[in-house]
Amino acid sequence: MFCVTDKRLTYIFKKYNGSKENMNRFTISAILKSIKGKPISSISLKNVRCFSSSSDKMIVEIDSQSGIATMYANNAPVNSLDSGLLTAAVKAVKEAERNPDVRGILLTSKFDGQVFCAGLNILDMYQKSHQHLVDYWTMVQDWYLAWYGCKKPTVAAINGHAPAGGCAWSMMCDYRIMQSGAGKTIGLNETMLGIVAPFFFVELIQSTIGHRASEEALLKGLLLSAEDALKYGMIDDIEKLENLNSKAIKELKAFMAINLNAYQGSKMLLRQDVMKRLIAVKKEDAEFFANFVSQPQVQESIGNYVASLKARKK
């Protein structure tokens, strides 16, 4: 609720060249903060920045001037894709799609220089009920469909390790720039955990680096340095950490300069087939995942991995 006079709001809407219906509450909030204590005649929206937050696990900053929504995964300690982060990530990207102020999305991590995203939450796969596994996998499916199917330009600034689901999340974006050096790695390493990447992850990597390279990367569970990932074509560029976001924004603006209708139409033509296939088999795919993960040998493999993680913390 914003307690301002109709005269003041009318002036803001006119100055903004918008309407009450087209301005979200975060935009209004930022404008009101910028004019606090100033006479109406002095109001300037030139440098207004708009901030919003979908949840503590996915922080979103919207710059009303550039039209860029910067989204920070913020699920300590390693941005594990648990139900909370999956839900927040879906909500954030869908809100950005609906928001006319947003013309492009930059995805990165709040844990700068440490980890971009450690992947799916392994604890959601260990010693859980069949229904829990089905529900969790349905969240994973929805996360993939929301990000891979986003109709606005998306660029990933990979500012840390990006194994498994973290790698997949970056490949759902239209362009990927990764922190150079510093020993950070990226790749779909599911086989090393004793599990199988879902078909829509396989499609992601195949469409990114080609079939033969995907066979090697997936079967061996390769985790590549930024420099090797660039050679594979898994990422599009590398940059020093201090310049990573600025370079990512430059690439994002290049995408944003393209006619949006043409961009959306072309993107959907490229991606719609695999998304339609997933939508058609969502229930069966979730059941397959739950049954596969519940197998004793898979649970044993996951349990060994969980134990190794606990040992590292000691």
Side-chain angles (χ1 to χ4, degrees), residues 5 27 52 54 56 62 81 87 90 101 111 114 153 156 195 198 206 214 216 222 228 266 278:
T5 65
T27 303
S52 67
S54 296
D56 290 340
I62 300 174
L81 287 157
T87 301
V90 170
D101 296 334
F111 310 117
Q114 300 174 49
I195 57 179
Q206 284 181 322
S214 296
E216 182 181 23
L222 295 181
D228 286 340
S266 299
L278 174 56

Side-chain angles (χ1 to χ4, degrees), residues 178 184-187 217 222-230 232 234:
M178 187 171 178
K184 301 300 182 283
T185 58
I186 185 171
L222 295 181
L223 286 175
L224 305 170
S225 67
E227 290 73 19
D228 286 340
L230 182 62
Y232 262 77
M234 192 174 288

